[in-house]
Amino acid sequence: MKIIVTGSLGHISKPLTEKLLAKGHAVTVVSSNPDKKKEIETLGAKAAIGTLADVDFLTDTFTGADAVYTLVPPNYAAPDMMAYCRETGENFAEAIEKSGVKRVVHLSSIGAHMEKGSGLILAHRQVEDIFEKELPDVAITYMRPSGFYYNLLGFIPGIKAAGVIVANYGADDMLIWVAPVDIASAVAEELETPATGHKVRYVASDELTGNETARILGEAIGKPDLKWVLVSDEERQQQLESFGLSTAMAHGLVEMFSAQHNGTLAEDFYRHWPKVMGKVKMADYAKEFATIYHQK
């Protein structure tokens, strides 16, 4: 198959590209960074260097492909995150329609079933809505992964400074985690599977409470008594702003994690539990976390 992978050589796109190449597919990797061209070609893939804001570039790149993997890369510098995601989603939809691609696997997120109250996840919901409206005749799988393991790295400064994990979710809450490589495996499977219509697939690797997560990470870094401390939304908002986040960005994160704390973010996940959980467990990831922790 001729498959297009967006996302450059990111956390998911690189292992996905490697898996697809190993299976004999012809892979083109889309990247906005010219410096990635050599690395992409070294893997054995073709590099398409251009921006997701250029619909003509996307259309040319997608034309003739059997399948396309799409994602909206985070852009925390965007003055309006929702507008950025919406525009990128519209660009993808236009390029997919013009190019004639009939199979798409799109990276969305757990919580994308929510129409409000999910904070930053609403950006994923709006892209799904765009695809639903503008690409009714394209077979689309919306991949909805749970919380990425590497998001835990954001707690390292707090652990070093105060010896605890602090957030407005967690503690006794049941948390669902996923490894990018497990997402890549699921995406590869979907890209190779003939499909019709639109469907959702959830991806997860492990399920633990915040306290269990803290214990595993603490043991890995030599702090076996590491605790996960739950704070109010207001306290977390103030903390994030003190770290330099804009009021809007901090609010988006706080609202998202508040939805995780009250259970609404994962409601649909539990209705459609993945048939197979990913291979990478928290105990496996803790080794990587510890390495990075001790390097900082």
Side-chain angles (χ1 to χ4, degrees), residues 30 42 54 61 78 90 100 103 106-107 109 111 117 124 135 138 146 164 175 177 196 213 233 241 257 269 273:
V30 176
T42 298
D54 186 342
T61 302
E90 291 281 6
R103 182 70 176 110
H106 177 71
L107 183 69
S109 172
H124 291 287
L135 301 171
V138 178
S146 52
V164 294
L175 307 178
W177 299 104
T196 57
T213 299
D233 291 355
E241 288 187 39
F257 288 126
F269 171 88
W273 187 275

Side-chain angles (χ1 to χ4, degrees), residues 12-66:
I12 299 170
S13 295
K14 184 175 181 178
L16 171 61
T17 297
E18 292 171 334
K19 291 175 184 295
L20 294 173
L21 290 170
K23 293 184 177 184
H25 299 296
V27 181
T28 296
V29 177
V30 176
S31 178
S32 61
N33 185 355
D35 294 337
K36 292 292 184 181
K37 184 175 186 295
K38 183 177 180 181
E39 186 178 355
I40 291 169
E41 293 175 344
T42 298
L43 290 177
K46 178 182 177 182
I49 306 300
T51 172
L52 301 184
D54 186 342
V55 175
D56 290 337
F57 160 72
L58 290 176
T59 302
D60 289 343
T61 302
F62 293 173
T63 298
D66 296 298

Side-chain angles (χ1 to χ4, degrees), residues 125-294:
R125 171 58 188 250
Q126 70 176 352
V127 176
E128 287 194 18
D129 286 344
I130 289 168
F131 282 16
E132 287 290 301
K133 178 182 178 180
E134 300 185 18
L135 301 171
D137 298 325
V138 178
I140 302 176
T141 301
Y142 301 108
M143 307 298 294
R144 291 183 182 172
S146 52
F148 287 30
Y149 283 133
Y150 64 71
N151 288 338
L152 288 162
L153 297 174
F155 291 124
I156 288 179
I159 296 173
K160 286 183 175 287
V164 294
I165 293 175
V166 176
N168 62 318
Y169 74 103
D172 291 327
D173 298 341
M174 192 60 72
L175 307 178
I176 311 159
W177 299 104
V178 70
V181 67
D182 286 335
I183 301 172
S185 295
V187 171
E189 184 178 308
E190 289 295 326
L191 287 168
E192 293 182 310
T193 302
T196 57
H198 295 187
K199 72 171 186 176
V200 169
R201 177 172 175 175
Y202 285 94
V203 191
S205 303
D206 208 351
E207 183 188 35
L208 301 160
T209 65
N211 291 325
E212 289 170 333
T213 299
R215 176 183 56 78
I216 293 171
L217 296 180
E219 290 175 351
I221 63 175
K223 293 182 179 294
D225 295 326
L226 181 64
K227 303 298 182 186
W228 190 305
V229 178
L230 191 65
V231 298
S232 69
D233 291 355
E234 293 73 20
E235 288 177 278
R236 192 56 175 159
Q237 176 81 25
Q238 292 173 359
Q239 289 173 343
L240 293 176
E241 288 187 39
S242 72
F243 296 155
L245 272 68
S246 68
T247 298
M249 181 63 70
H251 175 73
L253 288 169
V254 168
E255 188 175 55
M256 176 179 70
F257 288 126
S258 180
Q260 185 163 9
H261 178 53
N262 65 36
T264 55
L265 198 76
E267 278 181 339
D268 196 62
F269 171 88
Y270 284 114
R271 295 190 194 104
H272 304 92
W273 187 275
K275 293 180 180 178
V276 180
M277 293 286 276
K279 297 179 180 179
V280 182
K281 304 305 176 184
M282 182 63 73
D284 302 313
Y285 173 71
K287 299 171 185 175
E288 178 182 337
F289 182 90
T291 298
I292 297 173
Y293 177 89
H294 290 300

